[in-house]
Amino acid sequence: QVQLVESGGGLVQAGGSLRLSCAASGRTFSPNSMGWFRQAPGKEREYVAAIHWSSATTVYADSVKGRFTISRDNAKNTVYLQMSTLKSEDTAVYYCAASISNIHWRPSIAGEYDYWGRGTQVTVSL
């Protein structure tokens, strides 16, 4: 059973930076892609970024493009989200997700992901 554990959340001032990590369990972990989503209170889950595991191709939501960077470390079964120039609207619980499917790559669709972490809180102060 695959388990994902996020870490690195916390409090940061607007304009600051944080790096989130998501570590996956399992020796045979081999996802098609991994992604980051976020959810603010009263809001629906929102796509943030995704990375294709083998090619390292990355895609981003327009709201974070140029500020966030997603990357991965195959040997550590870990995906990262480097967040810079943070804004108050970035405040949310951030979730990592893994997709095992290799038929299509639709990274922005939450329903395409098979495994989810429990989330880590990111709070950006004014």
Side-chain angles (χ1 to χ4, degrees), residues 7 24-25 27-28 30 32 37 49 60 68 80 84 90-91 97 105 123:
S7 62
S25 66
R27 267 193 323 175
T28 61
S30 58
N32 180 60
F37 290 75
Y60 299 90
F68 291 12
Y80 305 95
S84 300
D90 295 317
T91 294
W105 190 36
T123 302

Side-chain angles (χ1 to χ4, degrees), residues 12-60:
V12 63
Q13 288 190 340
S17 300
L18 281 176
R19 188 180 73 163
L20 306 183
S21 299
C22 175
S25 66
R27 267 193 323 175
T28 61
F29 182 66
S30 58
N32 180 60
S33 64
M34 293 190 70
W36 288 94
F37 290 75
R38 65 188 183 186
Q39 188 165 24
K43 298 272 192 175
E44 290 190 359
R45 188 184 301 165
E46 177 188 21
Y47 163 74
V48 176
I51 184 167
H52 190 272
W53 203 252
S54 60
S55 70
T57 300
T58 59
V59 288
Y60 299 90

